[in-house]
C-alpha cells in the first residue's frame, strides 16, 4: 500500500498497486471494463477516471476500507497529493485546478481581504451560470489556506436537492469525523465548535432558501468558522457579504483596428489559452481579430461559455464556430467532450438549464417572455409584454436578478435590466413559434408607442440621443420585425427616429437591411410616402459612404417630386443631393443643385431653412479655395440658421475656423473653434472635421511641446474615430491632415509623436470631447 506521508500522484498510486498485484494494464482494464490505453493514460495522470471507474478500481486494486475514500477523492481531484506547494493536505480537500486561472486578479485580491477580515463571517460569491464562481472560490481558498489553523474544507452541493442532506454533505468533507450520519447536524456542530477553518459551500443555490437558516446556525454555534458560499442567488442573511462576480472583460468592436491590443482583455486571453491546449499554433491575428471580438461579445465574457467555445474548435474552424453561433440551438452545440467535466457543464444549454429548473413555473414563463428583449429594458416594458402590473413585474425581475439570470443597472436615472446573450437564447428556446410571434407583436407595439410618446415631448437633441442609445437594440428589433411583417408605416416611423441617431453617432456601419427594404416597397404607395422612403434610403446609404446608390435613390425621389410639383419636398431633396455631390467631390453639380435649392428654400422656408444650402455652398467655396466668398456665404448662413439646427451651425463655424487658419488669423481661428466646440461634439462627422482644424491650429500656432503633443494625440483620435464610425474624409481634409501631420512630425521627436498619437487613438468619444474643452478653455 501507499505511505500516506509521501507525496504521490493518483496515477503513480494506481501503477504501484497494479504492479504489486502483478497485473498488466490490459488485465486491469479488463477487470474494470475499460481499455489498456485508458489505464495507461490514468497512470500517466493524463486522464481522470469517472467516479464509477474509480470505484471499480477500488475493487480491482484491493484498496483497504480505510483508504478507499482518499483513493476516490484523489481520483476525482477532490484532494491534492501531499507536499504540493509546501502545504499540508491534511488541512484541506480542495480540488486541483487543472488549468491556470485567467484574469480575476482584482476579484481574488478583494475576496482575500474579506476572508482575512476578522469581522466578516459569511461571504456569498454570486453570479450567473458559468461565470467562474467555483474556480475563483478554490483559487481564493488556496491563497488564504495558511490563514486558518484548521484549514479549508470544500463541500460540493451540486448533487444535493434537499435541505435535510445539507449537514450530511458537509460531514463527508471531514474524513476525521467518525460519527454516524446525523441529518440534524448536532454532532457535526459539536465537532466544529472550536475549530478555526474556512468552509466552502459550492453550488448552494438549489437549497439556498431552505439551508440559509442552517448556515446562520453554524455561524452562531461555531464562532471561529468562516463560510464562503458560491451560489446563483444570495442567502439574504444578516451579516452576509455578497460579491457579484462580473463577466471577463471583452474588447470593443473598434479594437479590430489594433489586433495587438486584444490580449489585454480577459475574455480573449482565456479563449486563446484554451484553444492553445489543443492547437499550440493558434494566436490572435489581424485575420481572425474580428471573429474573436464577435465571439467574446456574443458569449458576454462568461468564462464557461468561452471555454466551451474554445473546446468546440477541436471539431470545427473559428469561422464555422461563428457561423454556428448565428443559428438557433447554438448554445446546445457549443460543448466540450472532456470526461472529467460534470455533464451539467458540458454544454451551455445544460449550464443555464440548471438555474431555469430552480424557478417556479410562473417565473419560468416570465423569464421566457422577457427573453424577447435586446439590451436594456424597464419594468414597464416587461409588464407590457407579460401583461401584468409594473409592481408584479418588478418582483419577478428582482427574483431573476437574485438567481443571476438578469443584470440590473441604473441608467439615466432609471433602473433597467439586461439578459446576457447565451441566457437570452435559452429563454427564447422555451417559447413555441406561436408564442414568439405573439410576444414579438407586443414588443414592437410597446416600443412604437414609447417612440410616439417620447417624440411628442419637447426634448433636446441630447435627450433624444440618450433615449435612442438606451433603447437602440430594442428599436432595431422592432424595426426588423415590422419589416418582416411588411408593416410599412410602423417600420418607417422607427427608421425615421433611428436615422437621427445614426446620423449623429456614426452607427451607419451596422449591417442594416433597411435600404433594400425601402426600395422593394410596392409602387402603389402615395407619392409623398415613396419620396420619404427614398429620402431615408438615400441618406442612410450616404452615411454608409455608399454614394452611388445614395445618388440613385435621391435622384429617383427628386424625379417623383418634380412630377407631382411638390416644390417644398424638391428643395429638401436638392439639399440632400447637393450633400451627396459634395462627398463625391463633384463640386460643379453640387453648386448647381444648391443654387436651385436656395431659390426654392426662400419660397418655402417652412420646408427647408435657406441657411442649409448656404452652408453647403460656403463649404464648396472653401474646398475650391475661394476663401472670401466662402466666409461671406457662411456668415449669411449663420444669420438664418435657428439654434435648433446644431449640425449646420457646427459645419459653418468649423469652416469659418478653417478659413481663418488658412488666412493666418489665429485669433479668429480660435474664436470660431470655441463657437463650434460643443455643437460639433454632438455629431460624429462634425467632430472629425472639427478635430482636423483644431489639430492644424495647434500644429501651426503652438511652439511648446505640450501643445504639439496634444496636436499629435488629436491626429490619433481623428484616425480612430474615422475607423470606428466609417466616416470618409473628403480629399480636401485628407490632404490638409497629411501636410499638417508631416509638419508636426518634424517638430517632435519620433518617440514623442508615437506616444502621443497612440494615446489619442485610444481615447473614447467622451475623452476626446474632454480634451477639446481643456484645449480651448
Amino acid at each position: 500500500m501507499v505511505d500516506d506521508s509521501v507525496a504521490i500522484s493518483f496515477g503513480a498510486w494506481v501503477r504501484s498497486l497494479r504492479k504489486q498485484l502483478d497485473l498488466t494494464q490490459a488485465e486491469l482494464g479488463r477487470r474494470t471494463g475499460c481499455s489498456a490505453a485508458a489505464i495507461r493514460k490514468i497512470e500517466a495522470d493524463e486522464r481522470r477516471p469517472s467516479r464509477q471507474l474509480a470505484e471499480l478500481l477500488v475493487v480491482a486494486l484491493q484498496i483497504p476500507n480505510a483508504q478507499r475514500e482518499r483513493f476516490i477523492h484523489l481520483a476525482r481531484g477532490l484532494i491534492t497529493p501531499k507536499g504540493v506547494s509546501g502545504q499540508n493536505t491534511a488541512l484541506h480537500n480542495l480540488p486541483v485546478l487543472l488549468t491556470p486561472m485567467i484574469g480575476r486578479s482584482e476579484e481574488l485580491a478583494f475576496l482575500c481581504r474579506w476572508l482575512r477580515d476578522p469581522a466578516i463571517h459569511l461571504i456569498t460569491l454570486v453570479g450567473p451560470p458559468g461565470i467562474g464562481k467555483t474556480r475563483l472560490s478554490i483559487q481564493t481558498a488556496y491563497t488564504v489556506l495558511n490563514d486558518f489553523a484548521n484549514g479549508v474544507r470544500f463541500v460540493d452541493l451540486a448533487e444535493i436537492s434537499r435541505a435535510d442532506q445539507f449537514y450530511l454533505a458537509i460531514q463527508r468533507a471531514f474524513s476525521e469525523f467518525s460519527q454516524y450520519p446525523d441529518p440534524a447536524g448536532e454532532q457535526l456542530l459539536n465537532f466544529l465548535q472550536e475549530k478555526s477553518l474556512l468552509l466552502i459551500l459550492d453550488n448552494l443555490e438549489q437549497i439556498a432558501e431552505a439551508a440559509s437558516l442552517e448556515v446562520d446556525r453554524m455561524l452562531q454555534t461555531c464562532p471561529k468558522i468562516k463560510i464562503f458560499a458560491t451560489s446563483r442567488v444570495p442567502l439574504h442573511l444578516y451579516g452576509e457579504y455578497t460579491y457579484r462576480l462580473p463577466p471577463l472583460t471583452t474588447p470593443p468592436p473598434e479594437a479590430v483596428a489594433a489586433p495587438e491590443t486584444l490580449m489585454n482583455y480577459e475574455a480573449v486571453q482565456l479563449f486563446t489559452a484554451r484553444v492553445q491546449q489543443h492547437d499550440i499554433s493558434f494566436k490572435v491575428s489581424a485575420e481572425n481579430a474580428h471573429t474573436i471580438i464577435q465571439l467574446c461579445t456574443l458569449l458576454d465574457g462568461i468564462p464557461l461559455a468561452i471555454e466551451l467555445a474554445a473546446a468546440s474548435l477541436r471539431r470545427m474552424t473559428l469561422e464555422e464556430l461563428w457561423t454556428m453561433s448565428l443559428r438557433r440551438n447554438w448554445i446546445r452545440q457549443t460543448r466540450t467532450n472532456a470526461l472529467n467535466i460534470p455533464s451539467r457543464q458540458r454544454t451551455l444549454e445544460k449550464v443555464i438549464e440548471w438555474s431555469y429548473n430552480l424557478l417556479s413555473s410562473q417565473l419560468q414563463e416570465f423569464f421566457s417572455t422577457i427573453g424577447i428583449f435586446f439590451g436594456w429594458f424597464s419594468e414597464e416594458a416587461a409588464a407590457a409584454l407579460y401583461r401584468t402590473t409594473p409592481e408584479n413585474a418588478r418582483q419577478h425581475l428582482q427574483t431573476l436578478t437574485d438567481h443571476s439570470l438578469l443584470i440590473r443597472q441604473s441608467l439615466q436615472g432609471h433602473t433597467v435590466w439586461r439578459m446576457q446573450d447565451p441566457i437570452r437564447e435559452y429563454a427564447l428556446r422555451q417559447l413555441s413559434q406561436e408564442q414568439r410571434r405573439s410576444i414579438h407583436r407586443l414588443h414592437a407595439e410597446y416600443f412604437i408607442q414609447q417612440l410616439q410618446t417620447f417624440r411628442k415631448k419637447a426634448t433636446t437633441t441630447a435627450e433624444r440621443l440618450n433615449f435612442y442609445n438606451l433603447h437602440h437594440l430594442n428599436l432595431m428589433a422592432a424595426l426588423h420585425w415590422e419589416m418582416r411583417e411588411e408593416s410599412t408605416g410602423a417600420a418607417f416611423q422607427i427608421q425615421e427616429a433611428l436615422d437621427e441617431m445614426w446620423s449623429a453617432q456614426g452607427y451607419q456601419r451596422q449591417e442594416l437591411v433597411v435600404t433594400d427594404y425601402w426600395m422593394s416597397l410596392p409602387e402603389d404607395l402615395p407619392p409623398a410616402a415613396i419620396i420619404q422612403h427614398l429620402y431615408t434610403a438615400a441618406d442612410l446609404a450616404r452615411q454608409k459612404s455608399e454614394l452611388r446608390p445614395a445618388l440613385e435613390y435621391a435622384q429617383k425621389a427628386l424625379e417623383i417630386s418634380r412630377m407631382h410639383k411638390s416644390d417644398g419636398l424638391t428643395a429638401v431633396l436638392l439639399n440632400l443631393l447637393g450633400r451627396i455631390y459634395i462627398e463625391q467631390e463633384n463640386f460643379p453639380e453640387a453648386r448647381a443643385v444648391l443654387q436651385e435649392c436656395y431659390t426654392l428654400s426662400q419660397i418655402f422656408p417652412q420646408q427647408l431653412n435657406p441657411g442649409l444650402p448656404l452652408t453647403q455652398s460656403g463649404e464648396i467655396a472653401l474646398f475650391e479655395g475661394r476663401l472670401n466668398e466662402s466666409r461671406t456665404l457662411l456668415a449669411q448662413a449663420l444669420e438664418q440658421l435657428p439654434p435648433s439646427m446644431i449640425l449646420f451651425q457646427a459645419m459653418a463655424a468649423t469652416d469659418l475656423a478653417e478659413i481663418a487658419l488658412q488666412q493666418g488669423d489665429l485669433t479668429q481661428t480660435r474664436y470660431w473653434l470655441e463657437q463650434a466646440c460643443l455643437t460639433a461634439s454632438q455629431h460624429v462627422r462634425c467632430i472629425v472635421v472639427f478635430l482636423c482644424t483644431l489639430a492644424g491650429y495647434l500644429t501651426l500656432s503652438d511652439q511648446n511641446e505640450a501643445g504639439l503633443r496634444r496636436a499629435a494625440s488629436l491626429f490619433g483620435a481623428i484616425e480612430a474615430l474615422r475607423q470606428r464610425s466609417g466616416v470618409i474624409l473628403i480629399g480636401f481634409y485628407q490632404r490638409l491632415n497629411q501636410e499638417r501631420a508631416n509638419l508636426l512630425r518634424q517638430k517632435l521627436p519620433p518617440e514623442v509623436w508615437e506616444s502621443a498619437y497612440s494615446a489619442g487613438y485610444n481615447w473614447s468619444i467622451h475623452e476626446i470631447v474632454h480634451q477639446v474643452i481643456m484645449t480651448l478653455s
Side-chain angles (χ1 to χ4, degrees):
M1 293 298 112
V2 69
D3 181 353
D4 278 352
S5 66
V6 179
I8 184 170
S9 72
F10 177 74
W13 192 356
V14 170
R15 184 170 58 252
S16 173
L17 292 171
R18 177 178 62 79
K19 290 184 175 180
Q20 289 179 35
L21 295 172
D22 197 23
L23 297 175
T24 64
Q25 291 177 336
E27 177 60 21
L28 181 57
R30 188 186 64 77
R31 294 187 183 189
T32 54
C34 64
S35 66
I39 298 297
R40 184 169 61 252
K41 289 181 179 180
I42 289 171
E43 292 185 353
D45 291 312
E46 295 176 359
R47 172 180 170 181
R48 280 191 188 284
S50 64
R51 183 176 182 89
Q52 181 183 18
L53 178 54
E55 289 172 347
L56 291 172
L57 286 168
V58 163
V59 176
L61 295 172
Q62 301 175 20
I63 305 293
N65 290 338
Q67 292 190 334
R68 288 189 174 194
E69 186 174 3
R70 181 167 183 264
F71 181 92
I72 292 174
H73 283 181
L74 188 59
R76 302 295 296 130
L78 298 178
I79 61 173
T80 57
K82 292 186 177 181
V84 175
S85 303
Q87 295 169 340
N88 181 1
T89 59
L91 296 179
H92 77 86
N93 66 337
L94 293 170
V96 176
L97 295 176
L98 299 178
T99 54
M101 191 169 72
I102 305 293
R104 301 301 195 196
S105 56
E106 291 184 13
E107 292 89 344
L108 179 63
F110 196 93
L111 289 169
C112 286
R113 284 199 298 273
W114 270 4
L115 287 172
R116 288 169 174 148
D117 187 335
I120 297 175
H121 298 274
L122 172 62
I123 299 170
T124 306
L125 185 59
V126 178
I131 200 70
K133 301 181 293 294
T134 298
R135 172 179 281 271
L136 182 57
S137 72
I138 295 169
Q139 185 66 53
T140 305
Y142 273 118
T143 307
V144 300
L145 181 58
N146 293 329
D147 292 284
F148 295 89
N150 299 111
V152 176
R153 296 304 165 106
F154 180 88
V155 182
D156 185 359
L157 298 169
E159 305 302 326
I160 303 303
S161 57
R162 303 198 317 269
D164 61 6
Q165 299 173 321
F166 175 67
Y167 286 114
L168 298 179
I170 297 174
Q171 181 177 320
R172 287 195 291 271
F174 295 89
S175 57
E176 65 271 34
F177 182 73
S178 57
Q179 302 292 327
Y180 287 106
D182 175 19
E186 295 291 345
Q187 297 173 356
L188 179 64
L189 293 178
N190 289 334
F191 171 74
L192 298 176
Q193 190 169 16
E194 296 302 321
K195 287 188 169 21
S196 170
L197 62 84
L198 174 63
L199 192 61
I200 298 178
L201 303 179
D202 190 45
N203 292 300
L204 187 57
E205 60 270 357
Q206 54 187 349
I207 57 168
E209 184 176 353
S212 59
L213 293 180
E214 297 304 328
V215 170
D216 182 65
R217 178 188 174 199
M218 290 187 72
L219 294 173
Q220 297 294 336
T221 306
C222 311
K224 296 181 182 180
I225 282 182
K226 282 184 186 284
I227 292 180
F228 185 12
T230 74
S231 176
R232 301 181 188 185
V233 297
L235 302 185
H236 299 296
L237 290 174
Y238 180 76
E240 177 186 24
Y241 282 69
T242 303
Y243 191 99
R244 194 166 287 279
L245 191 57
L248 299 179
T249 57
T250 57
E254 57 267 24
V256 71
E260 68 280 1
T261 67
L262 293 191
M263 289 301 288
N264 295 333
Y265 298 92
E266 295 169 337
V268 180
Q269 294 172 22
L270 179 61
F271 183 75
T272 303
R274 296 300 179 258
V275 175
Q276 287 177 345
Q277 285 181 231
H278 60 84
D279 180 4
I280 193 64
S281 66
F282 182 85
K283 62 181 179 180
V284 177
S285 65
E287 290 72 28
N288 63 20
H290 181 61
T291 305
I292 290 175
I293 291 172
Q294 288 179 308
L295 273 173
C296 290
T297 301
L298 174 70
L299 300 174
D300 236 334
I302 301 174
L304 181 59
I306 293 169
E307 295 211 20
L308 292 174
S312 297
L313 293 191
R314 292 177 181 269
R315 61 184 188 278
M316 65 182 74
T317 66
L318 184 63
E319 291 71 25
E320 289 170 339
L321 176 61
W322 172 245
T323 301
M324 183 195 74
S325 72
L326 301 177
R327 301 195 298 264
R328 290 189 65 181
N329 296 331
W330 66 271
I331 60 171
R332 177 179 296 174
Q333 297 174 53
T334 306
R335 68 180 191 271
T336 180
N337 293 323
L339 298 178
N340 54 344
I341 297 292
S343 59
R344 61 186 168 84
Q345 292 182 338
R346 291 184 188 174
T347 68
L348 275 176
E349 181 184 45
K350 289 292 185 182
V351 172
I352 302 167
E353 187 175 61
W354 179 270
S355 286
Y356 178 78
N357 288 335
L358 297 178
L359 304 176
S360 66
S361 58
Q362 186 181 40
L363 270 173
Q364 287 177 349
E365 183 182 2
F366 180 80
F367 167 73
S368 302
T369 299
I370 62 173
I372 215 77
F373 288 114
F374 291 78
W376 300 106
F377 62 91
S378 65
E379 65 186 45
E380 290 81 10
L385 264 63
Y386 193 62
R387 300 189 180 189
T388 187
T389 64
E391 293 75 18
N392 193 37
R394 185 187 313 124
Q395 184 177 357
H396 288 341
L397 292 169
Q398 181 57 55
T399 303
L400 292 178
T401 304
D402 284 346
H403 279 259
S404 300
L405 291 169
L406 287 177
I407 296 172
R408 181 181 57 204
Q409 192 165 331
S410 178
L411 294 176
Q412 301 177 19
H414 302 283
T415 300
V416 289
W417 284 264
R418 177 175 74 86
M419 196 177 284
Q420 291 176 302
D421 276 341
I423 298 175
R424 190 178 68 81
E425 176 66 21
Y426 180 88
L428 289 176
R429 288 190 61 249
Q430 310 313 306
L431 299 172
S432 67
Q433 188 172 359
E434 183 179 345
Q435 287 173 320
R436 272 201 190 196
R437 183 180 177 83
S438 173
I439 297 171
H440 265 303
R441 176 77 268 156
L442 290 171
H443 176 272
E445 288 175 354
Y446 174 81
F447 280 101
I448 290 172
Q449 182 183 16
Q450 291 298 300
L451 198 56
Q452 291 172 337
T453 303
F454 181 78
R455 298 192 79 189
K456 288 178 182 177
K457 299 177 182 177
T459 56
T460 65
T461 300
E463 288 174 329
R464 291 197 300 276
L465 293 179
N466 284 338
F467 176 85
Y468 298 147
N469 274 324
L470 180 60
H471 300 293
H472 174 245
L473 293 177
N474 281 300
L475 288 170
M476 281 297 303
L479 171 62
H480 284 284
W481 168 257
E482 297 294 355
M483 286 173 12
R484 286 195 299 271
E485 295 296 296
E486 298 184 359
S487 178
T488 304
F492 177 72
Q493 188 176 15
I494 302 171
Q495 164 72 55
E496 187 179 30
L498 288 173
D499 189 58
E500 179 179 17
M501 182 179 72
W502 292 330
S503 176
Q505 299 190 346
Y507 282 26
Q508 61 271 20
R509 281 295 181 188
Q510 294 191 5
E511 295 298 325
L512 305 175
V513 297
V514 290
T515 301
D516 292 336
Y517 171 72
W518 298 129
M519 294 305 295
S520 65
L521 292 172
E523 295 185 359
D524 58 353
L525 289 173
I530 294 176
I531 291 170
Q532 188 63 69
H533 295 334
L534 288 168
Y535 178 93
T536 299
D539 196 39
L540 180 60
R542 177 189 67 82
Q543 291 181 58
K544 294 169 67 177
S545 298
E546 296 174 2
L547 299 180
R548 180 177 296 179
L551 185 61
E552 292 175 2
Y553 301 152
Q555 287 174 333
K556 185 172 181 179
L558 182 61
E559 179 185 340
I560 298 172
S561 180
R562 290 190 191 280
M563 184 186 306
H564 292 275
K565 302 186 185 305
S566 303
D567 290 343
L569 283 175
T570 297
V572 174
L573 291 165
L574 287 169
N575 189 64
L576 174 60
L577 199 55
R579 184 75 247 160
I580 296 170
Y581 281 134
I582 288 173
E583 293 183 19
Q584 286 184 326
E585 302 193 44
N586 185 350
F587 299 140
E589 290 284 0
R591 274 198 309 274
V593 297
L594 288 171
Q595 185 175 354
E596 181 186 357
C597 176
Y598 178 63
T599 301
L600 286 173
S601 69
Q602 290 179 301
I603 302 172
F604 303 99
Q606 72 279 8
Q607 294 285 110
L608 184 78
N609 184 286
L612 275 59
L614 280 175
T615 301
Q616 299 206 101
S617 297
E619 192 169 49
I620 294 171
L622 166 62
F623 296 157
E624 293 184 329
R626 294 176 280 113
L627 301 184
N628 291 332
E629 179 187 343
S630 176
R631 185 170 60 243
T632 300
L633 289 169
L634 293 168
Q636 292 175 2
L638 284 174
E639 290 176 0
Q640 301 195 52
L641 289 170
S644 60
M645 292 187 172
I646 60 171
L647 168 59
F648 283 86
Q649 283 194 332
M651 287 172 58
T654 301
D655 287 345
L656 285 166
E658 182 58 47
I659 292 168
L661 183 60
Q662 293 199 28
Q663 293 181 330
D665 190 341
L666 297 179
T667 302
Q668 278 294 297
T669 302
R670 187 179 182 93
Y671 169 78
W672 286 115
L673 284 171
E674 289 172 351
Q675 297 303 304
C677 174
L678 294 179
T679 51
S681 67
Q682 297 186 42
H683 190 284
V684 68
R685 286 176 175 266
C686 282
I687 191 67
V688 171
V689 173
F690 174 87
L691 292 175
C692 293
T693 300
L694 179 57
Y697 168 72
L698 294 176
T699 299
L700 298 173
S701 65
D702 262 297
Q703 301 303 318
N704 63 77
E705 185 174 299
L708 297 177
R709 282 179 62 92
R710 182 160 291 180
S713 293
L714 290 176
F715 280 117
I718 291 168
E719 181 59 20
L721 264 183
R722 189 191 64 75
Q723 292 182 5
R724 291 200 293 262
S725 67
V727 169
I728 297 177
L729 284 172
I730 201 165
F732 173 82
Y733 282 107
Q734 290 181 29
R735 291 187 293 272
L736 274 183
N737 275 357
Q738 190 62 52
E739 292 169 6
R740 291 167 179 174
N742 289 340
L743 175 61
L744 185 56
R745 283 174 176 269
Q746 295 173 18
K747 294 184 177 184
L748 288 172
E751 65 277 7
V752 174
W753 160 268
E754 292 293 341
S755 172
Y757 183 93
S758 177
Y761 187 91
N762 290 304
W763 285 345
S764 67
I765 185 66
H766 300 293
E767 289 173 309
I768 290 171
V769 173
H770 174 73
Q771 291 294 331
V772 166
I773 293 172
M774 292 291 291
T775 300
L776 295 174
S777 62

